[in-house]
Amino acid sequence: MIRLMAVLILVAATGCAKKVHPYYLDEPADPTGEGQKLKDTAALEKLLTDSTLHFGFDEASLTEADRTMLEKVAFALRSRPTITIRIAGHADERGTEEYNLALGQRRAEVARKFLLALGVTPEQVETLTFGEEKPAVNESNEEAWAWNRRDELGIRPVQLVGWIEPAVPAEELK
């Protein structure tokens, strides 16, 4: 009887522990331990404007370093739901224009899907492709091609819809 009680207590204690993936908690997870740095506006801006992912030839898969960087971006975006970023996919000059535009889009989408899987809202991430049209390096060699196969992340520019007219003309406020 004592053994049965001990087993039941052990099972209850281990079985009741709720295992929740940290990315789905109400409070944003900080998988890299850099949350304090990202509370600094300058560090956040640098992360969201100077982040570049690089790809292999004819590939659209993320490296471990890319995933680590995107985890930081996801943490920052989940912490600030009003920020929207744009991921621009690029390709090197080899291949047709149409193929490179499609490849650039696939590269941008793989990064977007990774961010969404980490809890970033779809409204916060926009993608576009430039294909081979905006190279980072204007040369035709392996090193230049490697630099040109990339995704660039940036804070999406705020677009002004127009001026809102005041309810009371300025002359009447005097």
Side-chain angles (χ1 to χ4, degrees):
M1 183 67 166
I2 294 176
R3 284 185 184 171
L4 180 60
M5 295 270 297
V7 169
L8 288 175
I9 291 172
L10 182 62
V11 168
T14 58
C16 291
K18 189 175 181 184
K19 292 185 171 69
V20 177
H21 195 280
Y23 298 125
Y24 297 103
L25 296 175
D26 288 338
E27 183 67 26
D30 185 7
T32 59
E34 296 195 12
Q36 280 306 111
K37 285 185 190 175
L38 295 179
K39 288 181 181 175
D40 174 27
T41 305
L44 173 68
E45 186 176 338
K46 180 168 177 48
L47 173 68
L48 296 179
T49 56
D50 291 344
S51 296
T52 303
L53 313 174
H54 290 279
F55 297 90
F57 175 69
D58 201 28
E59 290 182 11
S61 57
L62 300 171
T63 65
E64 190 60 39
D66 294 337
R67 287 186 196 94
T68 299
M69 190 270 298
L70 287 173
E71 286 177 352
K72 295 176 191 177
V73 170
F75 174 75
L77 291 174
R78 286 192 316 270
S79 300
R80 293 164 182 83
T82 58
I83 293 178
T84 304
I85 64 165
R86 176 179 290 163
I87 304 172
H90 298 266
D92 63 35
E93 64 189 37
R94 298 172 291 177
T96 65
E97 184 177 340
E98 296 80 19
Y99 182 82
N100 287 336
L101 284 169
L103 180 58
Q105 188 63 39
R106 283 196 310 275
R107 289 173 173 164
E109 284 297 325
V110 75
R112 180 179 189 273
K113 287 177 183 174
F114 188 81
L115 290 171
L116 296 182
L118 296 178
V120 174
T121 63
E123 298 79 23
Q124 287 182 277
V125 186
E126 172 183 288
T127 62
L128 73 148
T129 181
F130 289 108
E132 63 189 69
E133 295 177 20
K134 292 192 174 194
V137 179
N138 282 317
E139 295 179 23
S140 293
N141 57 50
E142 289 295 332
E143 187 176 348
W145 294 331
W147 279 105
N148 292 334
R149 297 187 301 260
R150 69 195 190 282
D151 275 350
E152 293 178 328
L153 280 67
I155 297 175
R156 196 172 126 229
V158 176
Q159 299 194 2
L160 296 175
V161 176
W163 290 98
I164 299 174
E165 295 297 324
V168 179
E171 303 84 48
E172 293 179 20
L173 294 175
K174 293 180 184 176

